Amino acid sequence: MNNPSFLYGRITFLLTFKVAFLLLLTSCKKSGSDSKIEEPYVAKNETVIVFPLDAIEDIEPVDQNSGSGEPKSSGSSREQLKKVTVQSEIVSLGDVDAMMTISEELPSSYQKEKRIISTSSNRASSSGGITAAGTATDLAPGTTYRVVLYTADASGNQVTYVGQAEGKVGTAAISIPANRNTKYRWYAYTNNNTSPIPAFNQATGTVPVDPTGNNPSTRKDFAYATGIITTNNIKDGQNLINGIVLARKTSRIIVEVNSRGLFAPITHANVKFKDNSGVVSGNFRLSDATLQNISTAIATKNVYVHHNAAYQVPLDVDTVLDENTKRRYTFYTPTDGATSRSLVVSIDTLKITSQRLADADGSIGYVERHFYGKTFEFPTFVAMPGKSYFVSIRLVESAITIGATKWARSNTWRDANGKLTPAELWQYKMRYDNPLYRTTAGVPTTDYFTSDVYSIGSTGKNLCELMYPEGTWDLPTVAQVNELRNLTSKNIGVEGSNWYMYIIPTTTAEGYPGHPHGNLIFTPVGYKLSSSANTMDFYPNSAFWYTSTKGYWRTKTPGTFATLSYSTNQAMILQNQTMSSARLASVRCVRK
């Protein structure tokens, strides 16, 4: 078995096998190495990708499981987002008070902006997939938008920058040259305005976004979409992405200033956000849809809406009963959707025009009132991308504090010529001040009230409780009148042959220019037995002006009236007196 030929054959076979194996192994390694080398993208421009934009999605639900930070399609898995409401108690701002609410519930008139997005297999969603039923706002003709195109790897990640282009809604859709049979990652975005959009910066991969007001040419209501497309094999063909719906990446903040509780229209109010006011600027990164370089120093951005640019809510819309008592100011701010900040709305100058009755004859005049440097703060607020927030600021007449009671500054009247409330009731309002009438005819019959004020209609509420904002005011109790009666700092003022009582509060109440003064005033105007009867116990400019003129105010106890008399005796100036509840007398409200 030691045959040399046999041994030579075995050696030759083994060497041949080893060489073949090494060649095969080398070949495999080379092949694997070559597969990791990416060939540079060469633009052949064999086809085009067309990007027509459609609308902005109103709410952006986020897939908590994806971890991508990108919006998901508007399908059946859409989150049912909870409507969050935060409401303040009444807040004193010196010469004016306010009740503030922030909510995701928008007034009914805003729902008219929206439309249903129907299910469509060729409609692109904010994430580039298929979208189903949802709500969106159409982009207005002339709105500019920009599309950025990259090649994509097998996982859909961007690889090589291809190009970008700007277009306008309502004109020919953007077309970007591309190669056939190639996968691309595209991004589309808009500021939802009509101005040109600065070119996308490849170096940073971000887009600057600032907080703004709602000017159609300058607002930055930033919205964004991204997706994947693999081009077809048709030379000189088109690859159409139908109906791209952008996801709003800003928060929309609608501020409503409501002067109905001041019983006067707004004649001037500029609303703004200042530094550290809850709105921010930043840079939006397209690749992962995140906000970078967030800054709260935004004063230089001039984030305000001028009075004339605000939306005046028309009569009979959203319970507007008097013209120009509701004005809305819309803002947009980028947000990371995670950081809690104080939201602070500022009005540097607020002007309203109140009706004022002349002392001489009760004729109607008007006085402009000014309130300066008002801020309205919500201490903790987390703005979410894609959501709209409604900030309601209901302005309320400030009260004057005497002892433990906050008294209204003036008497109540019934607006007999105004619109009825939704409950078909009269509106009850406060006078601007307390006219010192020179004639009995000058006092309107709308300023006297009988016993029906204790339960208006079927509401079970008295007229003070129904005064806007409902539930803020009430009729004074006998005990509250006694608190004034026992006060030893009451004063009698005299002008000609007329008199009034005034109290200078120990807690100073602000006066001019929002109010005529900061004192609590009561002017006597007697009473009536019926609305058409002569006025009793009121003798202006007569020989009996001080001995016989008296004032009567209803209390919360029917038949008990606060009675005001001219006297140098503090105990006799103001007393509770029992009389027929059917008498028509004045009403002065107090805070609940």
Side-chain angles (χ1 to χ4, degrees), residues 371-406:
F371 304 89
Y372 297 110
K374 301 306 173 189
T375 57
F376 309 89
E377 182 175 359
F378 298 87
T380 55
F381 174 66
V382 180
M384 298 298 294
K387 287 190 180 181
S388 293
Y389 298 92
F390 184 69
V391 176
S392 171
I393 299 173
R394 291 183 290 173
L395 301 171
V396 183
E397 284 284 9
S398 61
I400 293 179
T401 301
I402 304 294
T405 304
K406 295 179 182 293

Side-chain angles (χ1 to χ4, degrees), residues 77-322:
S77 59
R78 170 183 291 275
E79 283 185 38
Q80 298 300 312
L81 296 171
K82 183 180 179 182
K83 302 295 185 182
V84 178
T85 300
V86 178
Q87 181 167 322
S88 74
E89 298 295 328
I90 194 161
V91 176
S92 176
L93 301 171
D95 49 1
V96 68
D97 294 346
M99 297 178 71
M100 301 175 292
T101 303
I102 185 167
S103 173
E104 292 173 32
E105 291 283 1
L106 301 186
S108 58
S109 56
Y110 282 87
Q111 309 308 315
K112 297 175 183 178
E113 299 178 358
K114 300 179 181 180
R115 65 177 174 81
I116 299 298
I117 308 173
S118 60
T119 303
S120 174
S121 60
N122 62 350
R123 178 183 294 278
S125 77
S126 54
S127 60
I130 298 171
T131 190
T135 59
T137 303
D138 288 327
L139 288 166
T143 301
T144 53
Y145 67 99
R146 184 167 288 274
V147 172
V148 178
L149 190 65
Y150 281 83
T151 60
D153 61 19
S155 300
N157 301 310
Q158 69 178 45
V159 179
T160 303
Y161 172 78
V162 175
Q164 61 179 297
E166 181 179 294
K168 282 185 176 290
V169 175
T171 63
I174 288 176
S175 294
I176 298 182
N179 297 349
R180 292 180 293 166
N181 300 317
T182 304
K183 180 180 284 191
Y184 293 94
R185 162 70 67 177
W186 56 265
Y187 304 99
Y189 60 93
T190 181
N191 287 323
N192 198 12
N193 66 37
T194 56
S195 297
I197 302 175
F200 171 69
N201 188 331
Q202 300 174 56
T204 63
T206 61
V207 177
V209 187
D210 295 322
T212 61
N214 197 34
N215 187 301
S217 63
T218 60
R219 67 179 168 225
K220 288 191 175 180
D221 177 19
F222 185 78
Y224 156 94
T226 183
I228 297 293
I229 185 172
T230 300
T231 53
N232 57 40
N233 192 36
I234 303 173
K235 186 172 177 59
D236 299 325
Q238 285 190 347
N239 298 266
L240 181 63
I241 304 176
N242 279 331
I244 298 173
V245 177
L246 305 179
R248 178 175 276 131
K249 289 297 181 178
T250 56
S251 290
R252 178 172 66 163
I253 301 174
I254 302 164
V255 178
E256 179 182 87
V257 181
N258 178 352
S259 66
R260 186 177 164 191
L262 297 178
F263 317 106
I266 303 166
T267 51
H268 179 85
N270 297 341
V271 175
K272 65 173 61 177
F273 286 95
K274 302 178 180 180
D275 282 346
N276 304 308
S277 60
V279 302
V280 301
S281 62
N283 295 313
F284 184 84
R285 191 160 60 196
L286 297 187
S287 60
D288 59 1
T290 59
L291 191 66
Q292 308 290 318
N293 311 117
I294 297 172
S295 173
T296 60
I298 50 87
T300 59
K301 309 295 183 182
N302 295 318
V303 188
Y304 82 100
V305 175
H306 189 273
H307 174 82
N308 293 335
Y311 171 64
Q312 178 181 324
V313 183
L315 286 172
D316 301 319
V317 175
D318 293 334
T319 68
V320 172
L321 303 178
D322 297 289

Side-chain angles (χ1 to χ4, degrees), residues 22 50 567:
L22 289 173
V50 183
S567 178

